[in-house]
Amino acid sequence: MREGVGALGDRIAGGLLLVVAAVAWWLSHDFTSGFGQTIGPGAFPRLVSVPLGLLSLYLIIHPGVNQRWPERSALFRQLGLLVLLMIYAGLIQPLGFLPTALLTVTLMIRLFGATWRQALPFGGLLTVGLYLLFEFALGMPLPDMPGLNW
């Protein structure tokens, strides 16, 4: 039985996600934690990279039944999302979590079709919610903005 283009697309996506999972796992070991912290900042990327790697392997081995290739606009949005996440990873240390996450989350919301009027307030709320979740509820320190030490 001949597989369609959709199966090839699923395998390509699975391969790319497997690379992302491996790189996230590898780079998460460089995150340092403060003295006396039981869970360091590298725990979350490792926690996410394991299921991502397993699910991407499943996608490579058993591609889905969707036999159509995504439209060009959907491919550009997906590529834009990957580029945006790479920019986020590069800017989080020098700029800190709050401005980097605000920019990234707002642009992600825009990529999925929201207007600026919708994206800005919800991007701000999501950024603050993520900050509160990681910093206070989970006790995982996030990079501060330059000149701001809380």
Side-chain angles (χ1 to χ4, degrees), residues 109-129:
I109 293 170
R110 284 282 297 153
L111 274 175
F112 287 101
T115 64
W116 283 109
R117 190 173 183 174
Q118 296 166 328
L120 284 172
F122 287 108
L125 286 173
L126 188 56
T127 298
V128 169

